[in-house]
């Protein structure tokens, strides 16, 4: 559900950027309660893993559409809602800036749609209810499935509302909704299965990670090196190799737009849209998760890939997965470090005053 800038108006995009900035500031403040040196590298590795996981589109049988792991629930379950939201914001920023995936004007919408509903609605009000009486494979499965489906449905509904408020007459509310919700219901079921499998695996390896995330405690004293190494290895494999096997079908959002508007890409003549597009074209050094070509620079848009070949064995895709994961890891670690330093300074100042 990476929205392009053409789907929203400057007013909606600006408003959602402001709303998302407020949620990020709130999360940065609240996450200090359970932030320590142990959690920072886990945030980085999880950010890198979700970045590469989002590159793997899976086909939705009988539809001609595809979907990919959103990762919001996974981040919330393993990191807690505040660190999870901050990590999602880092992932989407790297994708928009360096890979041209999702618009810069639509950045606030994308973070809100993929991160807010999962971290601050589905996680506390659904997932935590399932594991309240104990964290075990059955409760993890049920909680992951229901929360993933609900979180994605809310995000899909939010996309439709944002296009409505943006005055996109090409996408009538009722008709657009009738395509968006069912296709994202199917995607949500698959995401729930994947989330449950990953969370259960980590629970068996180091249950303290989940237990402390639920109650908002730090990971101090919990040995998580093996878990992080395992996630790092899987991240490299997914980004470097499995990304070749991503479905070439349009994702749920593009598929829905094409069914309603007759084309998967809407155009906008707004000056603000052109400014953001120009910035994105200049900054994205691996547009559409591939090497930039002469045509990219000339036309300002990535060249369409040959969808007849599958798997797509492409060095550019592998480099994008590994480099993108590494950049996301570094950004998230830096963000966590800044928050941790701020926490320590506030703690020292409080003690000095006392």
């Amino acid at each position: 559900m990476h929205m392009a800038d053409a789907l929203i108006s400057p007013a909606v995009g600006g408003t959602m950027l402001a709303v998302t900035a407020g949620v990020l500031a709130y999360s940065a403040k609240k996450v200090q309660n359970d932030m320590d040196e142990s959690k920072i590298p886990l945030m980085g590795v999880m950010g890198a893993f979700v970045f590469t996981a989002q590159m793997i589109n899976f086909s939705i049988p009988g539809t001609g559409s595809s979907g990919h792991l959103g990762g919001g629930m996974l981040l919330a379950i393993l990191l807690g809602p505040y660190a999870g939201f901050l990590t999602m914001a880092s992932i989407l920023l790297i994708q928009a800036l360096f890979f041209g995936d999702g618009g810069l004007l639509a950045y606030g919408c994308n973070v809100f749609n993929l991160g807010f509903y999962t971290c601050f609605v589905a996680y506390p009000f659904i997932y935590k209810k399932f594991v309240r009486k104990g964290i075990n494979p059955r409760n993890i499965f049920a909680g992951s499935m229901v929360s993933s489906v609900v979180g994605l449905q809310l995000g899909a509904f939010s996309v439709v509302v944002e296009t409505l408020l943006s005055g996109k007459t090409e996408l009538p509310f009722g008709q657009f909704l009738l395509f968006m919700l069912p296709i994202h219901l199917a995607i949500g079921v698959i995401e729930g299965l994947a989330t449950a499998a990953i969370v259960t695996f980590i629970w068996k390896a180091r249950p303290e990670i989940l237990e402390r995330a639920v109650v908002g405690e730090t990971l101090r004293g919990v040995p998580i090196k093996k878990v992080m190494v395992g996630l790092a290895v899987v991240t490299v494999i997914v980004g470097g190799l499995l990304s070749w096997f991503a479905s070439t079908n349009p994702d749920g959002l593009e598929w829905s737009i094409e069914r309603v508007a007759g084309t998967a890409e809407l155009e906008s003549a707004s000056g603000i849209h052109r400014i953001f597009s120009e910035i994105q074209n200049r900054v994205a050094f691996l547009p559409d998760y591939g090497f930039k070509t002469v045509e990219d620079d000339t036309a300002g848009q990535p060249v369409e890939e040959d969808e007849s070949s599958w798997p797509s064995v492409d060095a550019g895709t592998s480099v994008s997965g590994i480099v993108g994961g590494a950049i996301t890891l570094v950004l998230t670690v830096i963000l966590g470090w800044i928050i941790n330093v701020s926490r320590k300074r506030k703690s020292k100042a409080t003690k000095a005053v006392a």
Side-chain angles (χ1 to χ4, degrees):
M1 287 193 301
H2 292 62
M3 297 181 74
D5 285 344
L7 292 177
I8 60 169
S9 66
V12 171
T15 299
M16 292 307 298
L17 280 170
V19 170
T20 298
V23 180
L24 286 170
Y26 175 75
S27 298
K29 180 179 179 180
K30 296 292 291 183
V31 79
Q32 295 181 22
N33 295 329
D34 61 352
M35 177 66 74
D36 63 359
E37 288 78 3
S38 299
K39 193 165 194 173
I40 295 173
L42 183 60
M43 285 176 60
V45 172
M46 284 304 305
F49 174 76
V50 171
F51 176 95
T52 58
Q54 288 190 0
M55 294 178 64
I56 311 298
N57 278 47
F58 46 81
S59 296
I60 306 299
T63 66
S65 176
S66 69
H68 62 73
L69 185 70
M73 280 309 307
L74 184 63
L75 294 173
I77 292 170
L78 297 179
L79 301 174
Y82 308 113
F85 187 76
L86 292 169
T87 303
M88 178 60 76
S90 300
I91 295 167
L92 295 177
L93 180 63
I94 296 301
Q95 289 174 338
L97 281 177
F98 302 131
F99 301 90
D101 191 7
L104 292 178
L105 180 61
Y107 174 71
C109 294
N110 288 329
V111 175
F112 194 87
N113 298 340
L114 285 168
F116 179 83
Y117 294 116
T118 50
C119 292
F120 297 115
V121 178
Y123 176 73
F125 297 110
I126 298 177
Y127 177 83
K128 289 182 72 172
K129 299 296 183 183
F130 278 95
V131 300
R132 179 172 52 189
K133 295 183 179 180
I135 301 178
N136 55 56
R138 183 181 64 181
N139 291 345
I140 289 174
F141 177 81
S144 297
M145 282 295 298
V146 178
S147 59
S148 293
V149 168
V150 171
L152 201 56
Q153 287 288 286
L154 290 173
F157 180 77
S158 188
V159 169
V160 179
V161 171
E162 287 156 3
T163 58
L164 173 68
L165 296 177
S166 296
K168 292 298 173 180
T169 57
E170 307 96 324
L171 301 171
F173 179 82
Q175 191 176 357
F176 192 27
L177 191 69
L178 286 176
F179 282 102
M180 281 289 287
L181 293 189
I183 196 65
H184 284 92
L185 174 61
I187 295 172
V189 170
I190 298 175
E191 171 152 9
L193 292 171
T195 300
I198 296 169
V199 172
T200 300
F201 176 80
I202 294 177
W203 174 76
K204 290 181 178 179
R206 189 57 62 191
E208 298 94 333
I209 294 177
L210 274 68
E211 294 167 355
R212 297 198 181 187
V214 168
V215 296
E217 293 183 354
T218 69
L219 291 174
R220 186 175 292 109
V222 178
I224 59 174
K225 183 177 180 180
K226 289 184 178 180
V227 171
M228 289 194 299
V229 170
L231 285 171
V233 171
V234 172
T235 297
V236 172
I237 294 174
V238 171
L241 297 177
L242 296 186
S243 55
W244 296 345
F245 297 87
S247 171
T248 57
N249 291 334
D251 65 22
L253 175 57
E254 294 171 337
W255 179 86
S256 298
I257 293 173
E258 189 169 9
R259 291 297 181 280
V260 177
T263 176
E265 297 182 4
L266 303 184
E267 296 183 0
S268 176
S270 166
I272 294 178
H273 285 87
R274 287 196 297 270
I275 291 172
F276 277 105
S277 178
E278 182 64 24
I279 293 173
Q280 200 166 27
N281 288 333
R282 290 181 179 277
V283 175
F285 60 88
L286 287 166
D288 201 26
Y289 303 99
F291 292 131
K292 181 175 284 191
T293 65
V294 175
E295 287 83 354
D296 290 334
D297 294 326
T298 302
Q301 294 293 335
V303 178
E304 286 190 14
E305 297 178 0
D306 179 9
E307 297 185 357
S308 61
S309 60
W310 186 91
S312 178
V313 180
D314 185 2
T317 302
S318 297
V319 171
S320 297
I322 295 173
V323 171
I327 297 175
T328 304
L329 186 151
V330 171
L331 175 62
T332 309
V333 166
I334 291 175
L335 178 62
W337 177 79
I338 292 173
I339 293 173
N340 197 43
V341 169
S342 176
R343 177 187 64 83
K344 289 182 177 179
R345 288 180 178 177
K346 287 184 179 180
S347 179
K348 289 181 180 180
T350 302
K351 291 180 180 179
V353 172

Short mmCIF file of all heavy atoms in Angstrom, two decimals, residues 41 47-48 59 85 99-100 108 137 140 172-173 198 221 227 231-232 253 263 269 283 286 298 306 319 323 345 351:
data_model
loop_
_atom_site.label_atom_id
_atom_site.label_comp_id
_atom_site.label_asym_id
_atom_site.label_seq_id
_atom_site.Cartn_x
_atom_site.Cartn_y
_atom_site.Cartn_z
N PRO A 41 20.13 -2.41 18.41
CA PRO A 41 20.49 -3.26 17.27
C PRO A 41 19.34 -4.14 16.79
O PRO A 41 19.25 -4.44 15.60
CB PRO A 41 21.64 -4.11 17.82
CG PRO A 41 21.52 -4.06 19.29
CD PRO A 41 20.96 -2.71 19.59
N GLY A 47 14.31 -3.66 11.13
CA GLY A 47 14.04 -2.72 10.05
C GLY A 47 14.57 -3.23 8.72
O GLY A 47 13.89 -3.17 7.69
N ALA A 48 15.79 -3.76 8.74
CA ALA A 48 16.39 -4.31 7.52
C ALA A 48 15.61 -5.51 7.03
O ALA A 48 15.38 -5.67 5.82
CB ALA A 48 17.84 -4.69 7.79
N SER A 59 1.78 -13.75 -5.28
CA SER A 59 0.57 -13.70 -6.11
C SER A 59 -0.67 -14.07 -5.30
O SER A 59 -0.62 -14.94 -4.42
CB SER A 59 0.70 -14.66 -7.30
OG SER A 59 1.75 -14.26 -8.16
N PHE A 85 6.69 1.64 15.39
CA PHE A 85 6.26 2.74 14.52
C PHE A 85 7.46 3.53 14.00
O PHE A 85 7.51 3.90 12.82
CB PHE A 85 5.31 3.67 15.28
CG PHE A 85 4.68 4.73 14.43
CD1 PHE A 85 3.63 4.42 13.57
CD2 PHE A 85 5.13 6.05 14.49
CE1 PHE A 85 3.05 5.41 12.78
CE2 PHE A 85 4.56 7.03 13.70
CZ PHE A 85 3.51 6.72 12.84
N PHE A 99 14.70 4.57 -3.46
CA PHE A 99 14.20 3.55 -4.37
C PHE A 99 12.94 3.98 -5.11
O PHE A 99 12.41 3.20 -5.90
CB PHE A 99 13.95 2.25 -3.59
CG PHE A 99 15.18 1.72 -2.92
CD1 PHE A 99 15.52 2.10 -1.63
CD2 PHE A 99 16.05 0.88 -3.60
CE1 PHE A 99 16.68 1.65 -1.02
CE2 PHE A 99 17.22 0.41 -2.99
CZ PHE A 99 17.53 0.80 -1.70
N GLY A 100 12.46 5.18 -4.83
CA GLY A 100 11.28 5.68 -5.53
C GLY A 100 10.02 4.89 -5.26
O GLY A 100 9.11 4.87 -6.08
N GLY A 108 3.65 10.78 4.66
CA GLY A 108 2.87 10.77 5.89
C GLY A 108 1.72 9.80 5.81
O GLY A 108 1.42 9.08 6.78
N PRO A 137 2.17 -20.76 21.16
CA PRO A 137 1.93 -20.82 19.71
C PRO A 137 0.48 -20.59 19.29
O PRO A 137 0.22 -19.92 18.30
CB PRO A 137 2.40 -22.23 19.35
CG PRO A 137 3.46 -22.53 20.35
CD PRO A 137 2.97 -21.91 21.63
N ILE A 140 -0.33 -16.86 19.82
CA ILE A 140 0.44 -16.07 18.84
C ILE A 140 -0.22 -16.17 17.47
O ILE A 140 -0.37 -15.16 16.77
CB ILE A 140 1.90 -16.57 18.77
CG1 ILE A 140 2.64 -16.19 20.04
CG2 ILE A 140 2.60 -15.98 17.54
CD1 ILE A 140 4.05 -16.77 20.12
N PRO A 172 -14.01 6.68 -7.56
CA PRO A 172 -15.23 6.84 -6.75
C PRO A 172 -15.14 6.02 -5.47
O PRO A 172 -14.71 4.86 -5.49
CB PRO A 172 -16.34 6.33 -7.67
CG PRO A 172 -15.79 6.46 -9.06
CD PRO A 172 -14.32 6.21 -8.92
N PHE A 173 -15.56 6.62 -4.36
CA PHE A 173 -15.37 6.01 -3.04
C PHE A 173 -15.91 4.59 -2.96
O PHE A 173 -15.19 3.65 -2.60
CB PHE A 173 -16.05 6.88 -1.97
CG PHE A 173 -15.93 6.32 -0.59
CD1 PHE A 173 -14.79 6.53 0.17
CD2 PHE A 173 -16.98 5.58 -0.03
CE1 PHE A 173 -14.68 6.01 1.45
CE2 PHE A 173 -16.87 5.06 1.24
CZ PHE A 173 -15.72 5.27 1.98
N ILE A 198 6.89 -16.27 11.87
CA ILE A 198 8.12 -15.59 12.28
C ILE A 198 8.13 -15.36 13.78
O ILE A 198 9.14 -15.60 14.47
CB ILE A 198 8.27 -14.27 11.52
CG1 ILE A 198 8.43 -14.52 10.02
CG2 ILE A 198 9.48 -13.48 12.04
CD1 ILE A 198 8.32 -13.28 9.17
N GLY A 221 19.96 -7.63 29.76
CA GLY A 221 20.25 -8.94 30.33
C GLY A 221 19.76 -10.11 29.50
O GLY A 221 20.05 -11.27 29.82
N VAL A 227 19.62 -14.49 17.85
CA VAL A 227 18.41 -14.10 17.12
C VAL A 227 18.74 -13.04 16.07
O VAL A 227 18.28 -13.12 14.92
CB VAL A 227 17.35 -13.56 18.10
CG1 VAL A 227 16.17 -12.94 17.33
CG2 VAL A 227 16.85 -14.67 19.01
N LEU A 231 18.41 -13.35 12.02
CA LEU A 231 17.60 -12.42 11.24
C LEU A 231 18.44 -11.73 10.17
O LEU A 231 17.97 -11.50 9.05
CB LEU A 231 16.97 -11.37 12.16
CG LEU A 231 15.79 -11.83 13.02
CD1 LEU A 231 15.43 -10.76 14.03
CD2 LEU A 231 14.58 -12.15 12.15
N ALA A 232 19.68 -11.40 10.51
CA ALA A 232 20.57 -10.75 9.55
C ALA A 232 20.87 -11.66 8.36
O ALA A 232 20.86 -11.23 7.20
CB ALA A 232 21.86 -10.33 10.23
N LEU A 253 -3.03 -2.35 -4.28
CA LEU A 253 -3.43 -0.97 -4.53
C LEU A 253 -3.45 -0.67 -6.02
O LEU A 253 -4.43 -0.13 -6.55
CB LEU A 253 -2.47 -0.02 -3.81
CG LEU A 253 -2.67 1.47 -4.07
CD1 LEU A 253 -4.09 1.90 -3.71
CD2 LEU A 253 -1.64 2.29 -3.28
N THR A 263 -6.42 2.47 -15.41
CA THR A 263 -4.96 2.58 -15.46
C THR A 263 -4.43 2.51 -14.04
O THR A 263 -5.10 2.96 -13.10
CB THR A 263 -4.52 3.89 -16.11
OG1 THR A 263 -3.08 4.00 -16.06
CG2 THR A 263 -5.12 5.09 -15.42
N ALA A 269 -1.02 17.34 -12.47
CA ALA A 269 -0.28 18.46 -13.06
C ALA A 269 0.13 19.50 -12.02
O ALA A 269 0.64 20.56 -12.37
CB ALA A 269 -1.13 19.12 -14.15
N VAL A 283 17.22 11.90 -6.23
CA VAL A 283 17.79 11.24 -5.04
C VAL A 283 17.81 9.72 -5.18
O VAL A 283 18.74 9.06 -4.72
CB VAL A 283 17.01 11.66 -3.78
CG1 VAL A 283 17.51 10.88 -2.56
CG2 VAL A 283 17.15 13.16 -3.54
N LEU A 286 18.61 3.87 -6.89
CA LEU A 286 18.21 2.53 -7.33
C LEU A 286 16.70 2.54 -7.54
O LEU A 286 15.95 1.88 -6.82
CB LEU A 286 18.61 1.48 -6.28
CG LEU A 286 20.11 1.16 -6.18
CD1 LEU A 286 20.41 0.38 -4.91
CD2 LEU A 286 20.58 0.39 -7.41
N THR A 298 16.61 10.32 -18.61
CA THR A 298 16.02 11.09 -19.70
C THR A 298 14.54 11.34 -19.48
O THR A 298 14.04 12.45 -19.59
CB THR A 298 16.20 10.35 -21.05
OG1 THR A 298 17.59 10.13 -21.25
CG2 THR A 298 15.62 11.16 -22.18
N ASP A 306 10.59 -6.26 -18.05
CA ASP A 306 9.99 -7.33 -18.84
C ASP A 306 9.35 -8.32 -17.90
O ASP A 306 10.02 -9.06 -17.20
CB ASP A 306 11.09 -8.02 -19.68
CG ASP A 306 10.52 -9.16 -20.52
OD1 ASP A 306 9.28 -9.27 -20.58
OD2 ASP A 306 11.32 -9.90 -21.12
N VAL A 319 21.36 -6.05 -5.30
CA VAL A 319 22.06 -4.91 -4.70
C VAL A 319 21.07 -4.02 -3.95
O VAL A 319 21.36 -3.55 -2.84
CB VAL A 319 22.79 -4.09 -5.79
CG1 VAL A 319 23.33 -2.78 -5.21
CG2 VAL A 319 23.94 -4.89 -6.39
N VAL A 323 21.69 -3.38 -0.10
CA VAL A 323 22.03 -1.99 0.22
C VAL A 323 20.89 -1.32 0.98
O VAL A 323 21.11 -0.61 1.96
CB VAL A 323 22.37 -1.21 -1.07
CG1 VAL A 323 22.50 0.28 -0.77
CG2 VAL A 323 23.65 -1.72 -1.69
N ARG A 345 20.43 11.58 29.17
CA ARG A 345 20.63 12.97 29.59
C ARG A 345 19.48 13.45 30.46
O ARG A 345 19.69 14.15 31.46
CB ARG A 345 20.75 13.86 28.36
CG ARG A 345 22.09 13.69 27.61
CD ARG A 345 22.17 14.60 26.40
NE ARG A 345 23.45 14.47 25.74
CZ ARG A 345 23.78 15.11 24.61
NH1 ARG A 345 22.87 15.89 24.02
NH2 ARG A 345 24.97 14.94 24.07
N LYS A 351 18.10 13.42 38.11
CA LYS A 351 18.83 13.07 39.34
C LYS A 351 19.56 14.27 39.93
O LYS A 351 19.64 14.44 41.14
CB LYS A 351 19.82 11.94 39.03
CG LYS A 351 19.16 10.60 38.72
CD LYS A 351 20.21 9.53 38.42
CE LYS A 351 19.55 8.19 38.13
NZ LYS A 351 20.55 7.14 37.81
#
